[in-house]
Amino acid sequence: MQSNWKEDKANVHKSELDLRVYTSRLLGQDKSLVLHGGGNTSVKLTEKNILGEEEQVLYVKGSGWDLETIAAEGFAPVRLEHLKKLAQLPELTDPEMVNQLVTHQTRAVAPVPSVEAILHAILPYPYVDHTHADAIVSITNTADGEKRIREIYGDTMVVIPYVMPGFDLARLCGERFAAEAGANTIGMVLLNHGIFTFGQNAKESYERMIEQVGRAEDYLKQHKAWDAAPAALPASHGIELAREQAKLRADIAKAAGFPVIVARHANDKSLSFANRADIATIAQQGPATPDHVIRTKRLPMLGRDVAAYVKEYKEYFTAQEAQAKERKTMLDAAPRVVLDNELGLCAVGKSAQDASIVADIYDHTMDIILRATALGGYRALPAKDIFDVEYWDLEQAKLRKGGKSLPFSGEVALVTGAASGIGKACVESLLARGAAVVALDLDAKVTTIKNGANFLGLQCDLNSEEQFKQALVQAVEKFGGLDMLVLNAGIFPGGCRIDSLKTEEWQKVMRINLDANLMLMRECHPLLKLAPRGGRVVVIGSKNVPAPGPGAAAYSASKAALNQLARVAALEWGADNIRINSLHPNAVFDTGLWTPEVLAARAKHYGLTVDEYKTNNVLKTEVTSRDVAELTAEMCGSLFAKTTGAQVPVDGGNDRVI
Ligand code: ZN
């Protein structure tokens, strides 16, 4: 384990708080130390208040902030003296503790302080760093973890038995620290939880963390418990297995009560882990550190029997809730981690971002379990302790920070012809509503039009059934299924009258505008049928369907045939709870096709100005790609929940259509 402290980078930071931010980020950047909101850090500073009086202030990580990206305003400034007095109380309820922490800050606009604020306050060092280092929990989650920790650290670390985080842990640490700390003490190990280090300055506290975790890593290496090279297992990636994954997602969403992303990770590590002979033992002990439970649930699901998982979760809840101090309401019973011998690891979340957090956590959990197994056996905390954290209101508050979920969160949309124009605008409208979006286009630039966990751009020739199936497999592996399909890709060849229309030209237009969409609909149907809220298809048609013009026979005929195909699909697929609606745009000029020169030429041709030409409709309004995209997204939403087989113009009003 290497220190990432760089003198030149550190020297840029003038204040103690800025240095605190610097080393907190160094910790956060190392995922073997902390993952997604885990861990916390603090610094104690002396400041003058508005009366000119000096007071000591504990700057401690605010709840909801991530060490990797924390900024100065992510630290909550709490009056230190008050915290030390609170630590002397015989007891303190959680709501009162939070109330005390919030009301004794020196800045009104500050995050809620970490639930470990009192613990940070009582440790007599300016800097305190806390992580859930993989190496530490690998060793402490074993039968003789405490003995091993004492063997590694001697009198440099105070050892704290497991107690739930919060006031009780602060009190226990205070007592143990008073009794056991000596001249050599530089930190504490919290069994089954993590490690603290302290220092006089940011560098000392940070580098002690690196050194001490490094000692645990060395211990694992010496005991041949470090490298567990996974067996290379061939993963299958076919359309059949993708459909199985979509079925799994449908079952999980049903159990959860909301749509979910199910991301498959079929790498060697996950596959060989899921295929271990002892998987039913090692993967059914519990999380590596308790706060993972709010992301991963206590246990992964082995195989694909969601009903059995739900039954066991309900039994766990009922048994544990009976022993809890207060009554609890059961959270959804759906799994968040699935280990399957064919699929490997599947991570479940309300969004692709949530699912990737789950995958990260379980990726580290597998390492921890394998290392502890090599030391003699992985042994997590009893179910009761995990339940207490899972149903602790202060932990659940972390998840609520995400805010209200968006209308399409947990759902997956596929858009064709997505690199530009209406297709690209559809990608944006769907992403804005929380959907995970798969964007396909012949143009390779589709892969870079957006980034982020919710986006997958794939170059794909829709004339190739093989290419499309591969894209579909990739889409399902990444997000778990398909809920919405936007058929947008199409071509508009140059004007040509029937008497000179070549057969090849006609066939080319039909192939792209019609045949490819039939293939897409057919291949997507088994997935759309499994959509938790019902499948939705939106066909981007054309004003030319109800009102064709001369010189566009192939285009108009292809769109009219597509329109008829969609109407038949509405009839056939209603029984599968799939809605299919069409919209007919006209004169959408903000696309790549319409350069200013072309626009000017066309306007001149009709004896109009460009503005008159753009708004040459009943409402005298310009129709943009975004207008079409927003209507497309709404057609997938609840407003159109009871509509199928509809055709809606989006053209500013056209007298021939009306
Ligand atoms: Zn912790």
Side-chain angles (χ1 to χ4, degrees), residues 142-162:
T142 57
D144 43 8
E146 180 173 354
K147 197 179 120 242
R148 293 175 189 274
I149 289 293
R150 290 194 189 276
E151 184 187 326
I152 298 167
Y153 293 111
D155 62 354
T156 58
M157 291 275 165
V158 174
V159 180
I160 311 288
Y162 179 78

Side-chain angles (χ1 to χ4, degrees), residues 252-557:
I252 293 174
K254 190 162 175 254
F258 46 82
V260 288
I261 298 297
V262 175
R264 180 183 174 204
H265 299 263
N267 49 34
D268 284 348
K269 191 204 274 187
S270 307
L271 273 170
S272 68
F273 189 80
N275 279 287
R276 280 181 65 110
D278 57 358
I279 188 70
T281 310
I282 63 172
Q284 298 291 289
Q285 301 294 311
T289 187
D291 83 342
H292 288 170
V293 70
I294 58 167
R295 297 287 187 180
T296 61
K297 285 224 146 86
R298 189 174 84 90
L299 302 176
M301 176 168 87
L302 303 182
R304 301 176 206 166
D305 189 345
V306 178
Y309 184 91
V310 167
K311 184 169 169 282
E312 277 175 38
Y313 186 84
K314 284 181 177 163
E315 284 165 7
Y316 151 78
F317 175 81
T318 309
Q320 297 304 327
E321 202 252 354
Q323 300 170 40
K325 281 185 224 135
E326 44 205 67
R327 302 285 60 83
K328 306 280 184 187
T329 306
M330 195 179 83
L331 301 164
D332 75 80
R336 295 298 187 273
V337 175
V338 180
L339 296 168
D340 179 86
N341 53 17
E342 241 184 320
L343 293 168
L345 165 68
C346 289
V348 181
K350 276 188 178 177
S351 65
Q353 175 64 21
D354 279 357
S356 84
I357 290 174
V358 171
D360 268 355
I361 292 176
Y362 210 76
D363 186 61
H364 285 263
T365 303
M366 289 189 288
D367 289 338
I368 292 161
I369 290 175
L370 292 176
R371 286 170 188 160
T373 303
L375 278 189
Y378 177 70
R379 204 162 83 174
L381 288 166
K384 181 199 174 301
D385 291 313
I386 301 303
F387 178 87
D388 287 346
V389 173
E390 183 177 6
Y391 281 87
W392 190 24
D393 206 46
L394 302 186
E395 281 290 326
Q396 288 302 321
K398 285 187 191 169
L399 295 183
R400 287 196 291 268
K401 280 235 161 42
K404 209 167 157 277
S405 60
L406 292 161
F408 295 161
S409 75
E411 296 197 282
V412 186
L414 188 148
V415 181
T416 65
S420 60
I422 291 172
K424 188 177 172 206
C426 286
V427 170
E428 283 160 4
S429 292
L430 291 160
L431 283 173
R433 286 164 174 77
V437 181
V438 183
L440 304 187
D441 204 293
L442 194 55
D443 188 339
K445 81 168 189 255
V446 74
T447 57
T448 56
I449 55 165
K450 294 280 154 194
N451 46 38
N454 260 350
F455 178 76
L456 175 65
L458 298 171
Q459 187 182 17
C460 180
D461 178 358
L462 298 178
N463 279 320
S464 159
E465 204 166 312
E466 205 38 53
Q467 276 192 35
F468 178 68
K469 279 186 185 169
Q470 274 179 23
L472 207 53
V473 167
Q474 275 182 269
V476 173
E477 290 192 357
K478 189 165 169 74
F479 298 129
L482 184 64
D483 305 273
M484 295 168 266
L485 172 63
V486 179
L487 298 175
N488 167 66
I491 53 168
F492 185 86
C496 177
R497 301 184 77 92
I498 294 170
D499 44 22
S500 52
L501 179 57
K502 292 200 171 64
T503 306
E504 306 86 77
E505 182 67 10
W506 168 269
Q507 286 175 338
K508 183 182 166 202
V509 175
M510 286 296 166
R511 243 190 349 261
I512 297 172
N513 290 2
L514 182 62
D515 301 357
N517 284 320
L518 168 71
M519 183 273 291
L520 273 143
M521 286 166 67
R522 188 187 64 223
E523 294 306 318
C524 291
H525 175 255
L527 299 172
L528 292 167
K529 217 163 78 165
L530 292 167
R533 287 193 186 133
R536 286 88 86 195
V537 182
V538 177
V539 177
I540 308 296
S542 167
K543 184 260 319 179
N544 278 27
V545 172
Y555 179 77
S556 301

Side-chain angles (χ1 to χ4, degrees), residues 204-232:
E204 184 176 58
S205 187
Y206 165 73
E207 291 201 327
R208 280 177 174 170
M209 178 64 74
I210 301 303
E211 274 162 35
Q212 300 313 308
V213 174
R215 289 171 73 179
E217 290 186 351
D218 291 344
Y219 178 90
L220 287 165
K221 286 172 192 162
Q222 284 153 17
H223 289 75
K224 307 211 176 335
W226 182 252
D227 285 317

Side-chain angles (χ1 to χ4, degrees), residues 39-40 116 130-132 165 190 193 196 289 291:
N40 40 58
E116 307 295 13
H130 167 50
T131 71
H132 301 154
L190 277 53
H193 175 168
F196 278 77
T289 187
D291 83 342

Side-chain angles (χ1 to χ4, degrees), residues 114-133:
S114 159
V115 295
E116 307 295 13
I118 298 175
L119 171 49
H120 281 259
I122 59 173
L123 295 168
Y125 298 87
Y127 284 81
V128 176
D129 293 30
H130 167 50
T131 71
H132 301 154

